[in-house]
Amino acid sequence: MTAIILLGPPGAGKGTQARLLVEARGMVQLSTGDMLREAQASGTEMGKRVADVMARGELVTDEIVIGLIREKLSAGLEGGVIFDGFPRTLAQADALGALLAEMGLRLDTVIEMRVNDDALVARITARSTCGGCGEVYNDITKPIPADGQCAICGATTFNRRADDNEDSLRQRLMEYYKKTSPLIGYYYAKGQLQAVDGLGEIDVVAEAISSILDQAKSDPLSP
Ligand code: AMP
């Protein structure tokens, strides 16, 4: 089984690229952000507890997100798995390593998506997602079709995330640099880090990621 991490600041394009990998390779996207938003939308206790933290752009506790990932990893993930937005702290990275080892798996590669902060602000404040299928649109680079229907599923409702505003984004970037960016050194030291330029066209970035995956050697112990 292939297991990869997409690592990068908010707005780097992790979700967009993960969705393309799901389509092209039948991999499973494990986005802790999506899981937390689902918990909020369905009104669970946990969802209510994390709502304010997320709206402010802070990280929720390691315990919560590790629990979510542990649950998902027990399901069938034969096509391979993309960790999107997880891990975000060193404690989460250690926990993921231990979880994968328990399952006799290891990480194939960690792909760092590099972008500059100015591009992130522009991308995030222009971002919306389809209410039907989650396809990501951008007012400037990939606008919602003129007929108002999602190009993928035809839905006509589009959402902007509560935390896609400049204040929350500033906080999310701060959290990224303080708590998540140390993972770049962590995985580099393990010989697992590869970087792509996240500023290119979506297709160009997708090709760069694809060729990294094609080269990545699977653990011979993996099923
Ligand atoms: P995302 O959709 O990945 O941008 O995540 C949205 C928000 O969910 C983040 O700003 C955090 O508040 C929370 N979140 C998502 N993943 C994690 C994680 N691995 N650790 C802590 N908080 C997370």
Side-chain angles (χ1 to χ4, degrees), residues 8-11 14-15 31-37 40 50-62 64-66 68-69 84-89 92 124 127 161 163-164 168 171-172 175 180:
K14 303 184 295 294
S31 157
T32 40
D34 285 349
M35 294 174 208
L36 292 165
R37 279 184 290 277
Q40 271 186 58
V50 298
D52 285 347
V53 176
M54 287 176 72
R56 282 198 302 270
E58 293 166 14
L59 295 188
V60 311
T61 64
D62 289 335
I64 288 178
V65 288
I66 292 166
L68 287 171
I69 289 288
D84 160 13
F86 179 90
R88 262 176 155 100
T89 64
Q92 291 176 23
I124 284 204
R127 173 162 81 174
R161 279 172 45 171
D163 58 350
D164 275 353
S168 299
Q171 184 60 34
R172 285 155 70 196
E175 294 281 68
T180 308

Side-chain angles (χ1 to χ4, degrees), residues 144-186:
I144 294 163
D147 62 4
Q149 296 191 346
C150 173
I152 306 295
C153 75
T156 52
T157 51
F158 299 89
N159 307 311
R160 288 201 191 259
R161 279 172 45 171
D163 58 350
D164 275 353
N165 60 72
E166 280 208 56
D167 281 349
S168 299
L169 176 60
R170 202 166 304 124
Q171 184 60 34
R172 285 155 70 196
L173 276 176
M174 193 80 84
E175 294 281 68
Y176 177 78
Y177 288 116
K178 275 201 304 208
K179 298 175 184 165
T180 308
S181 67
L183 297 183
I184 294 169
Y186 176 97

Side-chain angles (χ1 to χ4, degrees), residues 39-142:
Q40 271 186 58
S42 54
T44 66
E45 263 317 301
M46 185 271 278
K48 286 181 200 154
R49 250 188 300 144
V50 298
D52 285 347
V53 176
M54 287 176 72
R56 282 198 302 270
E58 293 166 14
L59 295 188
V60 311
T61 64
D62 289 335
E63 200 191 353
I64 288 178
V65 288
I66 292 166
L68 287 171
I69 289 288
R70 181 179 287 122
E71 230 171 78
K72 296 282 176 179
L73 278 181
S74 53
L77 302 166
E78 286 74 22
V81 54
I82 310 149
F83 295 100
D84 160 13
F86 179 90
R88 262 176 155 100
T89 64
L90 290 167
Q92 291 176 23
D94 282 340
L96 177 61
L99 276 174
L100 291 174
E102 263 172 41
M103 301 171 69
L105 302 172
R106 75 166 177 79
L107 218 45
D108 292 278
T109 188
V110 178
I111 300 176
E112 179 199 351
M113 300 184 62
R114 291 193 180 152
V115 282
N116 67 44
D117 291 355
D118 291 344
L120 297 178
V121 177
R123 276 186 184 184
I124 284 204
T125 49
R127 173 162 81 174
S128 58
T129 54
C130 169
C133 69
E135 182 70 359
V136 182
Y137 290 94
N138 178 293
D139 298 342
I140 298 142
T141 57
K142 188 181 161 191

